[in-house]
Short mmCIF file of all heavy atoms in Angstrom, two decimals:
data_model
loop_
_atom_site.label_atom_id
_atom_site.label_comp_id
_atom_site.label_asym_id
_atom_site.label_seq_id
_atom_site.Cartn_x
_atom_site.Cartn_y
_atom_site.Cartn_z
N ARG A 983 3.71 1.63 -1.17
CA ARG A 983 4.37 1.81 -2.47
C ARG A 983 3.48 2.56 -3.45
O ARG A 983 3.97 3.39 -4.22
CB ARG A 983 4.74 0.44 -3.03
CG ARG A 983 5.40 0.50 -4.41
CD ARG A 983 5.60 -0.90 -4.96
NE ARG A 983 6.16 -0.84 -6.31
CZ ARG A 983 6.32 -1.92 -7.07
NH1 ARG A 983 5.96 -3.14 -6.59
NH2 ARG A 983 6.82 -1.81 -8.27
N TYR A 984 2.17 2.28 -3.41
CA TYR A 984 1.26 2.88 -4.35
C TYR A 984 0.55 4.13 -3.80
O TYR A 984 0.26 5.06 -4.57
CB TYR A 984 0.18 1.86 -4.78
CG TYR A 984 0.74 0.68 -5.54
CD1 TYR A 984 0.28 -0.61 -5.28
CD2 TYR A 984 1.72 0.85 -6.53
CE1 TYR A 984 0.78 -1.70 -5.98
CE2 TYR A 984 2.22 -0.23 -7.22
CZ TYR A 984 1.75 -1.50 -6.96
OH TYR A 984 2.25 -2.58 -7.66
N TYR A 985 0.26 4.11 -2.47
CA TYR A 985 -0.56 5.19 -1.92
C TYR A 985 0.09 5.84 -0.70
O TYR A 985 -0.59 6.49 0.10
CB TYR A 985 -1.94 4.63 -1.52
CG TYR A 985 -2.65 3.96 -2.67
CD1 TYR A 985 -2.65 2.56 -2.77
CD2 TYR A 985 -3.31 4.69 -3.63
CE1 TYR A 985 -3.30 1.92 -3.81
CE2 TYR A 985 -3.98 4.06 -4.67
CZ TYR A 985 -3.96 2.68 -4.76
OH TYR A 985 -4.61 2.05 -5.80
N GLY A 986 1.40 5.67 -0.50
CA GLY A 986 2.06 6.18 0.70
C GLY A 986 2.04 7.69 0.79
O GLY A 986 1.95 8.26 1.88
N THR A 987 2.13 8.41 -0.33
CA THR A 987 2.09 9.87 -0.35
C THR A 987 1.08 10.32 -1.39
O THR A 987 0.59 9.52 -2.21
CB THR A 987 3.47 10.45 -0.69
OG1 THR A 987 3.85 10.03 -2.02
CG2 THR A 987 4.52 9.97 0.30
N SER A 988 0.77 11.60 -1.34
CA SER A 988 -0.21 12.13 -2.29
C SER A 988 0.30 12.03 -3.72
O SER A 988 -0.46 11.73 -4.65
CB SER A 988 -0.52 13.59 -1.94
OG SER A 988 0.66 14.38 -1.96
N SER A 989 1.60 12.28 -3.91
CA SER A 989 2.15 12.19 -5.27
C SER A 989 2.11 10.77 -5.79
O SER A 989 1.81 10.52 -6.96
CB SER A 989 3.58 12.73 -5.30
OG SER A 989 4.41 12.00 -4.39
N ARG A 990 2.42 9.78 -4.90
CA ARG A 990 2.35 8.39 -5.31
C ARG A 990 0.91 7.98 -5.64
O ARG A 990 0.67 7.23 -6.58
CB ARG A 990 2.90 7.48 -4.21
CG ARG A 990 4.42 7.58 -4.04
CD ARG A 990 4.89 6.60 -2.98
NE ARG A 990 6.35 6.66 -2.82
CZ ARG A 990 7.03 5.88 -1.99
NH1 ARG A 990 6.39 4.98 -1.24
NH2 ARG A 990 8.35 6.00 -1.90
N ALA A 991 -0.04 8.48 -4.86
CA ALA A 991 -1.45 8.15 -5.09
C ALA A 991 -1.92 8.70 -6.44
O ALA A 991 -2.62 8.03 -7.20
CB ALA A 991 -2.31 8.70 -3.96
N VAL A 992 -1.49 9.94 -6.74
CA VAL A 992 -1.86 10.54 -8.03
C VAL A 992 -1.26 9.74 -9.19
O VAL A 992 -1.93 9.46 -10.19
CB VAL A 992 -1.41 12.01 -8.10
CG1 VAL A 992 -1.58 12.57 -9.51
CG2 VAL A 992 -2.18 12.85 -7.10
N TRP A 993 0.02 9.37 -9.06
CA TRP A 993 0.67 8.57 -10.10
C TRP A 993 0.00 7.21 -10.27
O TRP A 993 -0.15 6.71 -11.38
CB TRP A 993 2.14 8.42 -9.80
CG TRP A 993 2.87 7.59 -10.82
CD1 TRP A 993 3.34 6.33 -10.66
CD2 TRP A 993 3.17 7.97 -12.16
NE1 TRP A 993 3.93 5.89 -11.81
CE2 TRP A 993 3.84 6.89 -12.76
CE3 TRP A 993 2.96 9.13 -12.90
CZ2 TRP A 993 4.29 6.92 -14.06
CZ3 TRP A 993 3.41 9.16 -14.21
CH2 TRP A 993 4.06 8.06 -14.78
N THR A 994 -0.41 6.62 -9.16
CA THR A 994 -1.08 5.31 -9.22
C THR A 994 -2.41 5.42 -9.94
O THR A 994 -2.76 4.56 -10.77
CB THR A 994 -1.30 4.77 -7.80
OG1 THR A 994 -0.02 4.61 -7.15
CG2 THR A 994 -2.02 3.43 -7.85
N VAL A 995 -3.16 6.48 -9.63
CA VAL A 995 -4.44 6.67 -10.32
C VAL A 995 -4.22 6.88 -11.82
O VAL A 995 -4.98 6.38 -12.65
CB VAL A 995 -5.20 7.86 -9.70
CG1 VAL A 995 -6.45 8.18 -10.52
CG2 VAL A 995 -5.59 7.56 -8.27
N PHE A 996 -3.16 7.60 -12.15
CA PHE A 996 -2.82 7.80 -13.56
C PHE A 996 -2.51 6.47 -14.24
O PHE A 996 -2.97 6.21 -15.36
CB PHE A 996 -1.63 8.75 -13.66
CG PHE A 996 -1.17 8.98 -15.08
CD1 PHE A 996 -1.81 9.88 -15.91
CD2 PHE A 996 -0.08 8.27 -15.58
CE1 PHE A 996 -1.38 10.08 -17.21
CE2 PHE A 996 0.36 8.47 -16.88
CZ PHE A 996 -0.29 9.37 -17.70
N GLU A 997 -1.73 5.63 -13.56
CA GLU A 997 -1.37 4.34 -14.13
C GLU A 997 -2.58 3.43 -14.30
O GLU A 997 -2.76 2.79 -15.35
CB GLU A 997 -0.33 3.66 -13.25
CG GLU A 997 1.08 4.21 -13.39
CD GLU A 997 2.08 3.39 -12.61
OE1 GLU A 997 1.70 2.79 -11.57
OE2 GLU A 997 3.25 3.32 -13.03
N LEU A 998 -3.41 3.36 -13.27
CA LEU A 998 -4.56 2.46 -13.36
C LEU A 998 -5.58 2.95 -14.38
O LEU A 998 -6.38 2.17 -14.89
CB LEU A 998 -5.20 2.26 -11.98
CG LEU A 998 -5.92 3.46 -11.31
CD1 LEU A 998 -7.36 3.54 -11.71
CD2 LEU A 998 -5.83 3.30 -9.78
N THR A 999 -5.56 4.25 -14.67
CA THR A 999 -6.50 4.79 -15.65
C THR A 999 -6.09 4.44 -17.07
O THR A 999 -6.92 4.06 -17.90
CB THR A 999 -6.61 6.32 -15.51
OG1 THR A 999 -7.04 6.65 -14.19
CG2 THR A 999 -7.61 6.89 -16.52
N PHE A 1000 -4.79 4.53 -17.37
CA PHE A 1000 -4.34 4.40 -18.76
C PHE A 1000 -3.57 3.11 -19.05
O PHE A 1000 -3.31 2.82 -20.21
CB PHE A 1000 -3.46 5.60 -19.14
CG PHE A 1000 -4.20 6.91 -19.13
CD1 PHE A 1000 -4.08 7.77 -18.06
CD2 PHE A 1000 -5.02 7.26 -20.19
CE1 PHE A 1000 -4.77 8.98 -18.05
CE2 PHE A 1000 -5.70 8.47 -20.19
CZ PHE A 1000 -5.58 9.33 -19.11
N SER A 1001 -3.20 2.36 -18.04
CA SER A 1001 -2.42 1.15 -18.30
C SER A 1001 -3.29 -0.06 -18.61
O SER A 1001 -2.83 -1.01 -19.23
CB SER A 1001 -1.53 0.84 -17.09
OG SER A 1001 -2.33 0.46 -15.97
N GLY A 1002 -4.52 -0.04 -18.16
CA GLY A 1002 -5.39 -1.20 -18.37
C GLY A 1002 -5.23 -2.25 -17.29
O GLY A 1002 -5.98 -3.23 -17.26
N GLY A 1003 -4.28 -2.07 -16.37
CA GLY A 1003 -4.09 -3.06 -15.30
C GLY A 1003 -4.61 -2.56 -13.96
O GLY A 1003 -3.96 -2.77 -12.93
N TRP A 1004 -5.76 -1.91 -13.99
CA TRP A 1004 -6.30 -1.30 -12.76
C TRP A 1004 -6.59 -2.30 -11.65
O TRP A 1004 -6.50 -1.93 -10.46
CB TRP A 1004 -7.56 -0.49 -13.09
CG TRP A 1004 -8.72 -1.31 -13.62
CD1 TRP A 1004 -9.00 -1.61 -14.89
CD2 TRP A 1004 -9.74 -1.90 -12.81
NE1 TRP A 1004 -10.12 -2.37 -14.99
CE2 TRP A 1004 -10.61 -2.55 -13.71
CE3 TRP A 1004 -10.02 -1.95 -11.44
CZ2 TRP A 1004 -11.74 -3.26 -13.27
CZ3 TRP A 1004 -11.14 -2.63 -11.01
CH2 TRP A 1004 -11.99 -3.29 -11.91
N PRO A 1005 -6.94 -3.58 -11.91
CA PRO A 1005 -7.18 -4.49 -10.77
C PRO A 1005 -5.96 -4.66 -9.88
O PRO A 1005 -6.10 -4.87 -8.65
CB PRO A 1005 -7.57 -5.80 -11.45
CG PRO A 1005 -8.11 -5.39 -12.77
CD PRO A 1005 -7.28 -4.23 -13.19
N ASN A 1006 -4.76 -4.57 -10.45
CA ASN A 1006 -3.55 -4.73 -9.64
C ASN A 1006 -3.38 -3.59 -8.63
O ASN A 1006 -2.77 -3.77 -7.57
CB ASN A 1006 -2.31 -4.80 -10.54
CG ASN A 1006 -2.33 -6.01 -11.45
OD1 ASN A 1006 -2.84 -7.06 -11.08
ND2 ASN A 1006 -1.79 -5.86 -12.66
N TYR A 1007 -3.91 -2.43 -8.99
CA TYR A 1007 -3.82 -1.28 -8.08
C TYR A 1007 -5.02 -1.18 -7.15
O TYR A 1007 -4.93 -0.62 -6.06
CB TYR A 1007 -3.70 0.02 -8.89
CG TYR A 1007 -2.51 0.04 -9.82
CD1 TYR A 1007 -2.64 -0.27 -11.17
CD2 TYR A 1007 -1.24 0.37 -9.34
CE1 TYR A 1007 -1.55 -0.26 -12.03
CE2 TYR A 1007 -0.15 0.39 -10.19
CZ TYR A 1007 -0.31 0.07 -11.52
OH TYR A 1007 0.78 0.09 -12.35
N ALA A 1008 -6.16 -1.71 -7.58
CA ALA A 1008 -7.36 -1.63 -6.76
C ALA A 1008 -7.43 -2.74 -5.71
O ALA A 1008 -7.94 -2.53 -4.60
CB ALA A 1008 -8.60 -1.69 -7.66
N ARG A 1009 -6.91 -3.91 -6.03
CA ARG A 1009 -7.04 -5.05 -5.12
C ARG A 1009 -6.40 -4.82 -3.74
O ARG A 1009 -7.01 -5.19 -2.71
CB ARG A 1009 -6.46 -6.30 -5.78
CG ARG A 1009 -6.69 -7.59 -4.99
CD ARG A 1009 -6.21 -8.79 -5.79
NE ARG A 1009 -6.97 -8.96 -7.01
CZ ARG A 1009 -8.17 -9.58 -7.04
NH1 ARG A 1009 -8.69 -10.07 -5.94
NH2 ARG A 1009 -8.79 -9.72 -8.18
N PRO A 1010 -5.21 -4.21 -3.63
CA PRO A 1010 -4.65 -3.99 -2.28
C PRO A 1010 -5.54 -3.15 -1.39
O PRO A 1010 -5.66 -3.43 -0.19
CB PRO A 1010 -3.32 -3.28 -2.58
CG PRO A 1010 -2.95 -3.73 -3.95
CD PRO A 1010 -4.24 -3.84 -4.68
N LEU A 1011 -6.20 -2.13 -1.94
CA LEU A 1011 -7.09 -1.29 -1.13
C LEU A 1011 -8.33 -2.07 -0.70
O LEU A 1011 -8.79 -1.94 0.43
CB LEU A 1011 -7.52 -0.05 -1.94
CG LEU A 1011 -6.41 0.96 -2.25
CD1 LEU A 1011 -6.97 2.09 -3.11
CD2 LEU A 1011 -5.82 1.53 -0.96
N VAL A 1012 -8.88 -2.86 -1.65
CA VAL A 1012 -10.10 -3.61 -1.33
C VAL A 1012 -9.81 -4.69 -0.30
O VAL A 1012 -10.59 -4.91 0.65
CB VAL A 1012 -10.69 -4.23 -2.61
CG1 VAL A 1012 -11.89 -5.12 -2.27
CG2 VAL A 1012 -11.11 -3.14 -3.58
N GLU A 1013 -8.65 -5.38 -0.40
CA GLU A 1013 -8.35 -6.50 0.48
C GLU A 1013 -7.80 -6.05 1.84
O GLU A 1013 -8.08 -6.70 2.85
CB GLU A 1013 -7.35 -7.43 -0.19
CG GLU A 1013 -7.92 -8.14 -1.42
CD GLU A 1013 -6.89 -9.05 -2.07
OE1 GLU A 1013 -5.71 -8.95 -1.70
OE2 GLU A 1013 -7.27 -9.85 -2.95
N HIS A 1014 -7.05 -4.95 1.87
CA HIS A 1014 -6.37 -4.59 3.11
C HIS A 1014 -6.98 -3.40 3.85
O HIS A 1014 -6.77 -3.24 5.04
CB HIS A 1014 -4.89 -4.31 2.85
CG HIS A 1014 -4.13 -5.49 2.34
ND1 HIS A 1014 -3.94 -5.74 1.00
CD2 HIS A 1014 -3.50 -6.51 2.99
CE1 HIS A 1014 -3.25 -6.84 0.83
NE2 HIS A 1014 -2.96 -7.34 2.04
N LEU A 1015 -7.71 -2.54 3.14
CA LEU A 1015 -8.30 -1.39 3.82
C LEU A 1015 -9.80 -1.54 4.00
O LEU A 1015 -10.29 -1.66 5.12
CB LEU A 1015 -7.99 -0.10 3.05
CG LEU A 1015 -6.53 0.40 3.13
CD1 LEU A 1015 -6.38 1.71 2.37
CD2 LEU A 1015 -6.11 0.59 4.59
N HIS A 1016 -10.54 -1.51 2.88
CA HIS A 1016 -12.00 -1.59 3.02
C HIS A 1016 -12.60 -2.09 1.70
O HIS A 1016 -12.20 -1.64 0.63
CB HIS A 1016 -12.57 -0.22 3.36
CG HIS A 1016 -13.98 -0.28 3.88
ND1 HIS A 1016 -15.08 -0.40 3.06
CD2 HIS A 1016 -14.46 -0.24 5.16
CE1 HIS A 1016 -16.17 -0.44 3.79
NE2 HIS A 1016 -15.83 -0.34 5.07
N PRO A 1017 -13.59 -3.00 1.78
CA PRO A 1017 -14.23 -3.50 0.56
C PRO A 1017 -14.98 -2.42 -0.21
O PRO A 1017 -15.27 -2.57 -1.40
CB PRO A 1017 -15.20 -4.57 1.07
CG PRO A 1017 -14.64 -4.98 2.39
CD PRO A 1017 -14.02 -3.74 2.97
N GLY A 1018 -15.29 -1.32 0.48
CA GLY A 1018 -16.02 -0.24 -0.19
C GLY A 1018 -15.26 0.38 -1.35
O GLY A 1018 -15.85 1.00 -2.23
N PHE A 1019 -13.91 0.21 -1.33
CA PHE A 1019 -13.14 0.74 -2.45
C PHE A 1019 -13.49 0.04 -3.77
O PHE A 1019 -13.25 0.58 -4.85
CB PHE A 1019 -11.64 0.58 -2.18
CG PHE A 1019 -11.09 1.63 -1.27
CD1 PHE A 1019 -10.81 1.35 0.06
CD2 PHE A 1019 -10.85 2.92 -1.75
CE1 PHE A 1019 -10.30 2.31 0.90
CE2 PHE A 1019 -10.34 3.89 -0.90
CZ PHE A 1019 -10.07 3.60 0.43
N ALA A 1020 -14.07 -1.15 -3.68
CA ALA A 1020 -14.47 -1.87 -4.89
C ALA A 1020 -15.55 -1.09 -5.63
O ALA A 1020 -15.53 -0.97 -6.87
CB ALA A 1020 -14.98 -3.26 -4.54
N LEU A 1021 -16.48 -0.51 -4.87
CA LEU A 1021 -17.54 0.30 -5.49
C LEU A 1021 -16.95 1.56 -6.13
O LEU A 1021 -17.33 1.96 -7.22
CB LEU A 1021 -18.58 0.67 -4.44
CG LEU A 1021 -19.75 1.53 -4.93
CD1 LEU A 1021 -20.53 0.80 -6.03
CD2 LEU A 1021 -20.67 1.89 -3.76
N PHE A 1022 -15.98 2.17 -5.43
CA PHE A 1022 -15.34 3.37 -5.97
C PHE A 1022 -14.66 3.08 -7.30
O PHE A 1022 -14.84 3.81 -8.29
CB PHE A 1022 -14.32 3.92 -4.97
CG PHE A 1022 -13.38 4.93 -5.56
CD1 PHE A 1022 -13.79 6.23 -5.78
CD2 PHE A 1022 -12.08 4.56 -5.92
CE1 PHE A 1022 -12.92 7.15 -6.34
CE2 PHE A 1022 -11.22 5.48 -6.47
CZ PHE A 1022 -11.63 6.79 -6.68
N PHE A 1023 -13.85 2.01 -7.32
CA PHE A 1023 -13.13 1.69 -8.55
C PHE A 1023 -14.08 1.25 -9.67
O PHE A 1023 -13.84 1.53 -10.84
CB PHE A 1023 -12.08 0.60 -8.29
CG PHE A 1023 -10.83 1.12 -7.66
CD1 PHE A 1023 -10.55 0.89 -6.32
CD2 PHE A 1023 -9.92 1.86 -8.40
CE1 PHE A 1023 -9.40 1.39 -5.74
CE2 PHE A 1023 -8.76 2.35 -7.82
CZ PHE A 1023 -8.49 2.12 -6.48
N LEU A 1024 -15.15 0.58 -9.28
CA LEU A 1024 -16.13 0.15 -10.28
C LEU A 1024 -16.75 1.37 -10.97
O LEU A 1024 -16.84 1.43 -12.20
CB LEU A 1024 -17.20 -0.71 -9.63
CG LEU A 1024 -18.32 -1.21 -10.56
CD1 LEU A 1024 -17.73 -2.12 -11.63
CD2 LEU A 1024 -19.39 -1.95 -9.76
N LEU A 1025 -17.18 2.32 -10.16
CA LEU A 1025 -17.77 3.54 -10.73
C LEU A 1025 -16.75 4.36 -11.49
O LEU A 1025 -17.01 4.88 -12.58
CB LEU A 1025 -18.39 4.39 -9.61
CG LEU A 1025 -19.60 3.77 -8.89
CD1 LEU A 1025 -20.03 4.66 -7.73
CD2 LEU A 1025 -20.75 3.54 -9.86
N TYR A 1026 -15.54 4.45 -10.93
CA TYR A 1026 -14.50 5.27 -11.56
C TYR A 1026 -14.11 4.71 -12.93
O TYR A 1026 -14.06 5.44 -13.94
CB TYR A 1026 -13.27 5.34 -10.65
CG TYR A 1026 -12.11 6.09 -11.26
CD1 TYR A 1026 -12.11 7.49 -11.28
CD2 TYR A 1026 -11.02 5.41 -11.79
CE1 TYR A 1026 -11.05 8.18 -11.84
CE2 TYR A 1026 -9.96 6.09 -12.35
CZ TYR A 1026 -9.98 7.48 -12.37
OH TYR A 1026 -8.93 8.16 -12.93
N ILE A 1027 -13.81 3.41 -12.97
CA ILE A 1027 -13.38 2.80 -14.22
C ILE A 1027 -14.50 2.83 -15.26
O ILE A 1027 -14.27 3.08 -16.45
CB ILE A 1027 -12.91 1.35 -13.98
CG1 ILE A 1027 -11.66 1.35 -13.09
CG2 ILE A 1027 -12.63 0.64 -15.30
CD1 ILE A 1027 -10.48 2.10 -13.68
N THR A 1028 -15.74 2.61 -14.79
CA THR A 1028 -16.88 2.65 -15.72
C THR A 1028 -17.02 4.03 -16.35
O THR A 1028 -17.19 4.17 -17.57
CB THR A 1028 -18.17 2.26 -15.00
OG1 THR A 1028 -18.03 0.94 -14.45
CG2 THR A 1028 -19.35 2.28 -15.95
N CYS A 1029 -16.98 5.07 -15.51
CA CYS A 1029 -17.14 6.44 -16.02
C CYS A 1029 -15.99 6.84 -16.95
O CYS A 1029 -16.21 7.42 -18.01
CB CYS A 1029 -17.23 7.42 -14.85
SG CYS A 1029 -18.72 7.23 -13.84
N VAL A 1030 -14.75 6.51 -16.52
CA VAL A 1030 -13.60 6.88 -17.34
C VAL A 1030 -13.62 6.15 -18.68
O VAL A 1030 -13.39 6.74 -19.74
CB VAL A 1030 -12.28 6.59 -16.58
CG1 VAL A 1030 -11.09 6.72 -17.50
CG2 VAL A 1030 -12.15 7.53 -15.39
N THR A 1031 -13.91 4.84 -18.62
CA THR A 1031 -13.95 4.06 -19.86
C THR A 1031 -15.04 4.56 -20.79
O THR A 1031 -14.83 4.69 -22.01
CB THR A 1031 -14.18 2.58 -19.54
OG1 THR A 1031 -13.15 2.11 -18.66
CG2 THR A 1031 -14.18 1.75 -20.81
N PHE A 1032 -16.22 4.86 -20.23
CA PHE A 1032 -17.32 5.36 -21.04
C PHE A 1032 -16.96 6.71 -21.67
O PHE A 1032 -17.23 6.95 -22.85
CB PHE A 1032 -18.58 5.50 -20.17
CG PHE A 1032 -19.76 6.05 -20.91
CD1 PHE A 1032 -20.48 5.25 -21.79
CD2 PHE A 1032 -20.17 7.37 -20.72
CE1 PHE A 1032 -21.58 5.76 -22.46
CE2 PHE A 1032 -21.25 7.89 -21.39
CZ PHE A 1032 -21.97 7.08 -22.27
N ALA A 1033 -16.34 7.59 -20.85
CA ALA A 1033 -15.96 8.90 -21.37
C ALA A 1033 -14.93 8.78 -22.49
O ALA A 1033 -15.02 9.45 -23.53
CB ALA A 1033 -15.41 9.77 -20.24
N MET A 1034 -13.92 7.93 -22.28
CA MET A 1034 -12.91 7.74 -23.32
C MET A 1034 -13.51 7.14 -24.58
O MET A 1034 -13.16 7.53 -25.70
CB MET A 1034 -11.79 6.83 -22.79
CG MET A 1034 -10.95 7.47 -21.68
SD MET A 1034 -9.67 6.35 -21.05
CE MET A 1034 -8.69 6.12 -22.54
N PHE A 1035 -14.44 6.20 -24.39
CA PHE A 1035 -15.09 5.59 -25.54
C PHE A 1035 -15.88 6.63 -26.34
O PHE A 1035 -15.84 6.66 -27.58
CB PHE A 1035 -16.02 4.47 -25.07
CG PHE A 1035 -16.81 3.82 -26.18
CD1 PHE A 1035 -16.21 2.91 -27.03
CD2 PHE A 1035 -18.14 4.13 -26.36
CE1 PHE A 1035 -16.93 2.32 -28.06
CE2 PHE A 1035 -18.87 3.55 -27.39
CZ PHE A 1035 -18.26 2.64 -28.23
N ARG A 1036 -16.60 7.52 -25.63
CA ARG A 1036 -17.37 8.56 -26.31
C ARG A 1036 -16.45 9.52 -27.05
O ARG A 1036 -16.75 9.96 -28.17
CB ARG A 1036 -18.23 9.32 -25.30
CG ARG A 1036 -19.36 8.50 -24.68
CD ARG A 1036 -20.36 8.07 -25.75
NE ARG A 1036 -20.99 9.22 -26.36
CZ ARG A 1036 -22.11 9.78 -25.92
NH1 ARG A 1036 -22.70 9.29 -24.84
NH2 ARG A 1036 -22.64 10.81 -26.53
N ILE A 1037 -15.33 9.87 -26.42
CA ILE A 1037 -14.40 10.81 -27.06
C ILE A 1037 -13.80 10.20 -28.32
O ILE A 1037 -13.74 10.83 -29.38
CB ILE A 1037 -13.29 11.21 -26.08
CG1 ILE A 1037 -13.87 12.05 -24.93
CG2 ILE A 1037 -12.18 11.97 -26.79
CD1 ILE A 1037 -12.87 12.36 -23.83
N ILE A 1038 -13.37 8.94 -28.20
CA ILE A 1038 -12.79 8.27 -29.37
C ILE A 1038 -13.81 8.13 -30.48
O ILE A 1038 -13.52 8.35 -31.67
CB ILE A 1038 -12.22 6.90 -28.97
CG1 ILE A 1038 -11.03 7.08 -28.01
CG2 ILE A 1038 -11.80 6.10 -30.20
CD1 ILE A 1038 -10.51 5.79 -27.43
N THR A 1039 -15.05 7.78 -30.11
CA THR A 1039 -16.11 7.65 -31.10
C THR A 1039 -16.38 8.98 -31.78
O THR A 1039 -16.57 9.05 -33.00
CB THR A 1039 -17.39 7.14 -30.43
OG1 THR A 1039 -17.14 5.88 -29.81
CG2 THR A 1039 -18.51 6.97 -31.46
N ALA A 1040 -16.40 10.06 -31.00
CA ALA A 1040 -16.64 11.39 -31.57
C ALA A 1040 -15.53 11.78 -32.54
O ALA A 1040 -15.80 12.35 -33.60
CB ALA A 1040 -16.76 12.42 -30.44
N LEU A 1041 -14.30 11.45 -32.18
CA LEU A 1041 -13.18 11.77 -33.07
C LEU A 1041 -13.26 11.01 -34.38
O LEU A 1041 -13.06 11.58 -35.47
CB LEU A 1041 -11.85 11.47 -32.37
CG LEU A 1041 -11.49 12.37 -31.17
CD1 LEU A 1041 -10.20 11.88 -30.51
CD2 LEU A 1041 -11.33 13.82 -31.63
N PHE A 1042 -13.55 9.70 -34.28
CA PHE A 1042 -13.69 8.91 -35.50
C PHE A 1042 -14.85 9.39 -36.35
O PHE A 1042 -14.76 9.45 -37.59
CB PHE A 1042 -13.88 7.43 -35.14
CG PHE A 1042 -12.59 6.69 -34.93
CD1 PHE A 1042 -12.21 6.29 -33.66
CD2 PHE A 1042 -11.76 6.40 -36.00
CE1 PHE A 1042 -11.01 5.62 -33.46
CE2 PHE A 1042 -10.56 5.72 -35.81
CZ PHE A 1042 -10.19 5.32 -34.53
N LEU A 1043 -15.97 9.74 -35.68
CA LEU A 1043 -17.14 10.22 -36.42
C LEU A 1043 -16.83 11.54 -37.12
O LEU A 1043 -17.23 11.75 -38.28
CB LEU A 1043 -18.32 10.40 -35.46
CG LEU A 1043 -19.63 10.87 -36.08
CD1 LEU A 1043 -20.12 9.85 -37.10
CD2 LEU A 1043 -20.70 11.06 -34.99
#
Side-chain angles (χ1 to χ4, degrees):
R983 178 186 177 187
Y984 295 138
Y985 304 100
T987 62
S988 58
S989 58
R990 289 183 179 182
V992 171
W993 179 253
T994 300
V995 173
F996 177 81
E997 284 186 331
L998 68 88
T999 301
F1000 295 100
S1001 67
W1004 64 270
N1006 296 327
Y1007 302 98
R1009 187 174 296 277
L1011 293 177
V1012 175
E1013 293 180 348
H1014 297 93
L1015 288 182
H1016 196 279
F1019 280 104
L1021 180 60
F1022 166 77
F1023 281 105
L1024 179 63
L1025 294 175
Y1026 176 78
I1027 296 300
T1028 301
C1029 293
V1030 170
T1031 303
F1032 178 76
M1034 292 179 62
F1035 177 77
R1036 292 297 297 271
I1037 292 173
I1038 294 173
T1039 302
L1041 292 175
F1042 275 108
L1043 182 61

